[in-house]
Amino acid sequence: MKAKQGKQPEGIAPLDGRPKGAGAHWGTVDFPLKRHHSPHGQVTAVSMMKDEGAYVIEWVAHHLVVGFSDLVVYTNDCSDGTDDMLVRLEELGLCHHRRNDIPEGIRPQPSALNYAQEEPVVQQSDWVMVFDADEFLSIRYGDGTLDDLLAATKAQGANGIVVTWRIFGSGGVVDWSRAPVTEQYLWAAPQTWNKGWGVKTLFTFSADKWKLGIHRPKMKTKWHETDFPDQVKWLNGSGREMEDYFKFRGWRSITRTVGYDWVQLNHYAVKSVDSYAIRKMRGNVNNKADKYNSDYWSLQDRNEVRDDTMLRYTNLRNDIIAQLLQDPVLNRLHHAAIARAEGRLAGLRQTEAYHELVADLAKASAVPITQIVAKPPQARDKEKIAALMSDVEKRRGAKAKADRQAIPKDPVEAVPMGSYQSGVVNLSQDATVEIYQNHSMKLPADPRVFTDSALPLIQSGKFERGLARRMPQVLTEHAKVLEIGSAAGFLSGHCANIRPDLTFNLQEDNPALRQMLGVVCALSNRAFNDRFILMDQTLGHDPAAGALAMIASVQPDALLLSDPRLDPDLLQKLLPMLPVPAPTQVFLYGRLLEQHHQRLPEVEALLGALGYVPDYGFDANIARGFRLKPPADPDDPS
């Protein structure tokens, strides 16, 4: 059904600085802050809002900083002045406000999109993206603006980019705050969490060829059998070409198409408990009365991984907010909206329903990410999908599959898979994670510590399985073991559990991993004692000297080296200085092997010169083991 109301007049002809298709009220009030002039033409965001008054200023300021030239926002049934704020922003020449008069039987969001399809500002835009008021574009590429992102997109001959959601949770914040949304909430779901892989699409728009949609536009049927589909080239959020099927259908990324390296869409669906309480009482843009319940909170309150990319925009955004609030009308409306929200919250806090909600949400926050079920659960019906597909979609899909299968697989060098996150690991924020038995130890599936590739192994009980199976078998009887770079303590803890004859000395410089080591040992009932010792020594500023001091102190029979600071250059200095008697066993594995595997032949040659021979049968991508040859007997004729 095509909407008949709400279509705006064409307006006057564009002047310098005036958007194409702008309405008569646009820019009628002189204001120092001007809309962005993009080198890529008219780059337009289309959104819908209802009672977002407390957040409008930040949302507008952020997307002006990001580089949209135009913001078209539809409102319906506002009671907090959201619409008045947007009207004023239009008068200031920074936004386009449109009324969403909803026809009978149509939900608010599709209604707004019907209007946007006919809107002159949108129709005359070069690039268009549809997204919501709780979604903020976050660009990692280049200088963090659309200017750089679209330049890179166009450089590949592409005319669209499919941006995947990143679900941001409450971060444990309960109380209402006036602080910016993008600074309050810095904890998100892991990038690998496919329930958070909804998308929005930034693309070159033609009203004749595309019908606007919530997640992506729909190609009009009349173009399916033409050469137009071949002209569509969309990239994913990492700058890789999307698969052919997405030209026709789909609203989520899949494993082959997801990407976050260039850009993501931060989705702040819940915010704080107080913000959620206010929103729950006011309805939502699609009139889903039961949407804001504890199940929805569990789904959206994901806080497993810190992501502070948004902080790159702080200074510029704050500057624009300050400029916007210099307008007395906008200032008054903004503070009135905040006062109204805070007044409503004060009333809610006096009700039993509020306190029940807080308790329910606390329980919902405790639901581990692996137990989240998207509501409503709906299995993928391949037959139904096939029935809806046009013949051209089926032909192109079959050809794309055949092409993928026909491409010969180039030989790929096997490389070790990393188990631990690189860079700074931050454990200051509490996180709810599930615990899994792995061999004789228990491990938390904590994405702050373990990599995306390691988490499924932890969940299946197969973490570092090759090491866990082989190392207890090859360590010599009654050996004194020194492990430099114990990480979470899994390997030494497991070996100590099943080899009571061994003595382990564990050392780890990384404060967060050392903290996790304590957690893992406590979960596993692996007590520290005189044969399982957590050392206080560090590698310090001179890792070679620090390592030698530890080796001299412990005098190990087996030396396990995993700290990535022990790079090949450092090992070239360290190994020839091993004290006598030298360790009879040396193992290189873990983070050391992961980061320096390409140069380990240099280290292996040096160990050979020092009298060590390769041994113990490890996969070279898991560990490299070396045994010290006994000195030759001069009386032995052999």
Side-chain angles (χ1 to χ4, degrees):
M1 173 179 177
K2 183 176 289 188
K4 298 297 184 181
Q5 300 178 352
K7 181 178 179 180
Q8 300 299 311
E10 293 287 342
I12 62 176
L15 303 173
D16 288 343
R18 182 179 180 84
K20 292 177 288 185
H25 298 292
W26 188 90
T28 53
V29 175
D30 188 38
F31 194 61
L33 182 62
K34 305 299 181 183
R35 67 188 280 266
H36 177 62
H37 286 271
S38 170
H40 307 292
Q42 198 153 302
V43 184
T44 300
V46 177
S47 191
M48 311 90 197
M49 295 185 184
K50 174 182 176 180
D51 287 353
E52 297 284 352
Y55 307 110
V56 168
I57 293 293
E58 181 188 359
W59 190 90
V60 168
H62 175 79
H63 290 104
L64 291 176
V65 169
V66 164
F68 283 99
S69 65
D70 292 271
L71 309 172
V72 179
V73 182
Y74 289 82
T75 63
N76 61 280
D77 305 319
C78 292
S79 61
D80 70 344
T82 296
D83 45 0
D84 294 330
M85 294 174 71
L86 291 164
V87 167
R88 183 59 176 178
L89 284 162
E90 181 167 25
E91 292 172 348
L92 299 179
L94 297 170
C95 190
H96 307 270
H97 172 253
R98 302 292 182 258
R99 302 283 180 186
N100 185 13
D101 298 324
I102 305 169
E104 185 71 25
I106 302 294
R107 291 182 291 121
Q109 205 169 43
S111 171
L113 292 178
N114 286 339
Y115 290 134
Q117 185 75 19
E118 307 275 339
E119 164 60 44
V121 173
V122 176
Q123 287 193 342
Q124 297 182 65
S125 292
D126 299 280
W127 295 81
V128 172
M129 183 174 183
V130 176
F131 56 103
D132 296 335
D134 59 4
E135 298 170 345
F136 289 69
L137 196 65
S138 179
I139 301 173
R140 290 190 173 89
Y141 185 87
D143 65 358
T145 70
L146 285 167
D147 290 0
D148 273 9
L149 180 68
L150 291 179
T153 301
K154 292 160 71 173
Q156 293 196 40
N159 42 34
I161 186 163
V162 179
V163 186
T164 305
W165 274 338
R166 189 76 183 277
I167 304 299
F168 279 72
S170 68
V173 179
V174 175
D175 296 334
W176 167 270
S177 171
R178 296 186 178 189
V181 169
T182 53
E183 290 185 11
Q184 287 190 73
Y185 311 109
L186 301 175
W187 290 87
Q191 293 183 354
T192 54
W193 193 52
N194 61 7
K195 290 182 175 63
W197 284 355
V199 303
K200 299 297 173 77
T201 309
L202 174 64
F203 69 110
T204 57
F205 178 57
S206 165
D208 181 52
K209 294 180 171 67
W210 296 105
K211 177 73 169 66
L212 291 175
I214 296 169
H215 294 279
R216 45 79 56 73
K218 180 180 180 181
M219 188 187 299
K220 293 186 176 181
T221 305
K222 65 181 180 180
W223 296 100
H224 284 193
E225 297 286 355
T226 71
D227 62 356
F228 176 67
D230 293 318
Q231 301 169 23
V232 177
K233 180 180 180 180
W234 289 350
L235 308 180
N236 76 345
S238 290
R240 301 190 306 272
E241 186 172 357
M242 288 293 291
E243 295 189 6
D244 197 70
Y245 79 90
F246 204 82
K247 298 174 183 179
F248 302 98
R249 65 180 63 251
W251 67 273
R252 302 176 73 254
S253 292
I254 60 175
T255 302
R256 295 196 307 269
T257 64
V258 69
Y260 290 104
D261 294 340
W262 281 16
V263 60
Q264 66 188 32
L265 193 63
N266 289 18
H267 192 189
Y268 304 96
V270 295
K271 305 182 181 73
S272 68
V273 171
D274 281 350
S275 299
Y276 194 72
I278 295 173
R279 194 173 195 181
K280 179 177 173 64
M281 301 300 178
R282 72 107 212 255
N284 61 84
V285 74
N286 278 319
N287 291 339
K288 295 180 182 178
D290 62 343
K291 176 178 180 180
Y292 297 105
N293 53 30
S294 57
D295 287 341
Y296 184 78
W297 178 273
S298 289
L299 179 68
Q300 302 289 350
D301 187 32
R302 305 318 325 158
N303 306 286
E304 287 75 20
V305 179
R306 181 179 170 88
D307 182 340
D308 58 7
T309 311
M310 273 295 195
L311 298 183
R312 74 183 302 176
Y313 300 110
T314 295
N315 292 336
L316 288 173
R317 183 210 60 222
N318 286 348
D319 181 60
I320 288 185
I321 288 176
Q323 292 183 66
L324 291 175
L325 293 180
Q326 288 177 6
D327 176 66
V329 176
L330 198 56
N331 188 301
R332 173 179 56 80
L333 292 169
H334 171 68
H335 286 98
I338 290 176
R340 189 180 187 283
E342 292 175 347
R344 180 182 294 181
L345 178 61
L348 289 174
R349 284 174 170 167
Q350 305 304 312
T351 67
E352 184 64 28
Y354 169 84
H355 296 288
E356 290 177 357
L357 177 65
V358 172
D360 288 345
L361 297 187
K363 294 178 183 177
S365 292
V367 177
I369 193 170
T370 55
Q371 295 181 14
I372 298 298
V373 177
K375 300 290 186 177
Q378 185 175 0
R380 190 170 184 267
D381 189 334
K382 293 183 178 181
E383 292 184 1
K384 183 178 180 181
I385 292 173
L388 293 172
M389 291 173 64
S390 65
D391 289 341
V392 68
E393 289 179 66
K394 293 176 183 178
R395 290 199 305 271
R396 295 176 73 100
K399 182 179 183 300
K401 183 177 180 180
D403 289 345
R404 286 198 304 272
Q405 294 175 341
I407 297 174
K409 301 297 187 294
D410 294 331
V412 178
E413 178 194 3
V415 297
M417 299 291 287
S419 296
Y420 295 93
Q421 297 284 2
S422 60
V424 177
V425 176
N426 188 337
L427 298 180
S428 61
Q429 179 77 27
D430 289 338
T432 301
V433 296
E434 288 189 274
I435 310 301
Y436 296 90
Q437 188 74 40
N438 278 258
H439 308 282
S440 68
M441 300 289 283
K442 290 184 178 179
L443 292 174
D446 191 334
R448 299 172 299 175
V449 174
F450 299 102
T451 60
D452 294 342
S453 59
L455 289 172
L457 299 176
I458 291 175
Q459 293 164 357
S460 62
K462 299 177 181 178
F463 180 74
E464 296 191 342
R465 181 168 60 173
L467 279 172
R469 287 179 171 178
R470 187 75 181 138
M471 191 65 78
Q473 299 176 18
V474 301
L475 290 171
T476 56
E477 191 173 358
H478 301 295
K480 188 186 298 181
V481 182
L482 171 60
E483 183 181 35
I484 300 179
S486 297
F490 168 75
L491 181 60
S492 284
H494 169 62
C495 290
N497 284 341
I498 61 176
R499 286 287 304 272
D501 60 302
L502 303 177
T503 299
F504 284 87
N505 293 266
L506 289 71
Q507 186 278 336
E508 175 55 54
D509 271 9
N510 185 300
L513 292 182
R514 187 179 173 91
Q515 179 181 341
M516 182 55 67
L517 188 156
V519 170
V520 168
C521 289
L523 289 171
S524 307
N525 296 316
R526 175 62 267 167
F528 295 105
N529 51 38
D530 59 358
R531 75 175 192 88
F532 192 72
I533 303 161
L534 181 58
M535 303 176 67
D536 293 327
Q537 290 96 321
T538 68
L539 292 177
H541 296 297
D542 184 348
L548 278 173
M550 281 183 262
I551 295 169
S553 172
V554 174
Q555 296 183 345
D557 304 297
L559 181 60
L560 279 58
L561 301 178
S562 178
D563 193 301
R565 293 178 66 190
L566 302 177
D567 60 41
D569 292 330
L570 189 146
L571 290 174
Q572 296 277 357
K573 293 188 291 184
L574 168 64
L575 294 174
M577 299 174 67
L578 289 176
V580 178
T584 57
Q585 296 178 298
V586 175
F587 298 91
L588 310 176
Y589 66 99
R591 291 167 291 158
L592 185 157
L593 179 60
E594 175 195 351
Q595 293 193 24
H596 308 299
H597 67 279
Q598 290 183 326
R599 292 188 58 198
L600 286 189
E602 304 169 29
V603 180
E604 293 170 352
L606 175 60
L607 284 167
L610 295 172
Y612 289 88
V613 294
D615 202 351
Y616 309 120
F618 284 101
D619 183 314
N621 292 302
I622 295 175
R624 313 284 174 93
F626 303 88
R627 170 178 52 83
L628 183 62
K629 292 186 297 184
D633 185 347
D635 297 326
D636 186 347
S638 62

